[in-house]
Amino acid sequence: DKIVDLLKKRVLGIIASSAKKERKVILIDGFPRSKENLDSWNQKKMAEICDDKYLLYFECSIEAMQQRIMERGKTSGRLDDNAETIKKRLHTFESETKPIIKHFEVHGNVISVNAEGSVDDVFSDLSKQLQLNQLVQEAPYKNLLEDQEATYQLNDNRALEEKEEKR
């Protein structure tokens, strides 16, 4: 519930601060991750505030994910970028997040992006998918994805809570 309250506050802030009253595309990274997240979103009637039309799903093999996380661990300074934690994350993904993806798939609301390739390849596929689903008008819109007003990145629940507490 606390995460959705923080998201609601942030989304309303983005909408209110917009000089133009045009449609905003807001990407919320890593949400919903569980049925609890989705139920809270629905209970708070977030769909009345923003159109939660799509879930972006970056498809990638387990091997590629493990390799990328281990590579990131060499420079990230994150203590949780290790083989044991990766196994736990993948288990959580399979047990909690995969059913959420399936839920959105049933309603035709999943945009799948092939994340096996290079950063440029993944961005190209993402760009095509966003255009096909009329979430953006034309390429290039990399700036849209990097714009702090248009994008709020939720890497994990603690980061969102910490950011909000600092305000």
Side-chain angles (χ1 to χ4, degrees):
D1 270 354
K2 186 174 183 180
I3 297 302
V4 175
D5 288 337
L6 294 171
L7 286 170
K8 184 175 186 177
K9 182 177 178 182
R10 181 67 177 147
V11 168
L12 288 171
I14 290 169
I15 293 168
S17 69
S18 176
K20 301 174 186 175
K21 295 301 174 196
E22 63 190 29
R23 181 175 146 224
K24 286 278 190 188
V25 175
I26 301 172
L27 299 174
I28 303 172
D29 182 21
F31 188 89
R33 290 183 186 204
S34 65
K35 184 170 180 346
E36 179 184 9
N37 286 161
L38 183 59
D39 289 347
S40 182
W41 179 271
N42 291 331
Q43 289 167 357
K44 303 275 181 181
K45 300 185 180 185
M46 288 295 291
E48 294 175 9
I49 297 168
C50 61
D51 183 9
D52 57 347
K53 196 165 192 171
Y54 296 104
L55 180 140
L56 285 173
Y57 178 38
F58 291 86
E59 293 187 82
C60 185
S61 68
I62 290 172
E63 294 78 19
M65 282 188 276
Q66 289 173 324
Q67 181 182 17
R68 289 175 183 173
I69 293 169
M70 294 302 287
E71 189 64 32
R72 178 183 72 182
K74 294 176 182 176
T75 58
S76 71
R78 290 178 55 158
L79 298 176
D80 61 346
D81 282 346
N82 60 65
E84 188 59 35
T85 304
I86 292 169
K87 287 179 189 175
K88 290 177 185 176
R89 286 184 197 160
L90 290 172
H91 174 74
T92 300
F93 175 79
E94 288 294 327
S95 65
E96 295 184 25
T97 307
K98 261 291 179 72
I100 299 304
I101 295 167
K102 298 284 185 209
H103 168 81
F104 277 84
E105 280 178 339
V106 167
H107 302 309
N109 294 356
V110 172
I111 298 173
S112 291
V113 176
N114 180 350
E116 287 286 333
S118 68
V119 171
D120 289 338
D121 290 342
V122 174
F123 181 77
S124 177
D125 190 28
L126 171 63
S127 299
K128 289 174 190 169
Q129 293 298 329
L130 293 177
Q131 235 176 336
L132 286 172
N133 289 282
Q134 300 177 345
L135 293 174
V136 293
Q137 296 300 317
E138 59 189 56
Y141 34 79
K142 192 169 189 172
N143 289 340
L144 171 69
L145 298 174
E146 294 171 350
D147 181 355
Q148 290 301 323
E149 291 237 6
T151 305
Y152 189 74
Q153 192 167 27
L154 172 62
N155 287 321
D156 65 32
N157 296 343
R158 290 182 311 272
L160 178 62
E161 290 172 1
E162 290 169 10
K163 187 171 186 172
E164 192 62 28
E165 288 171 3
K166 288 180 183 177
R167 289 186 179 193

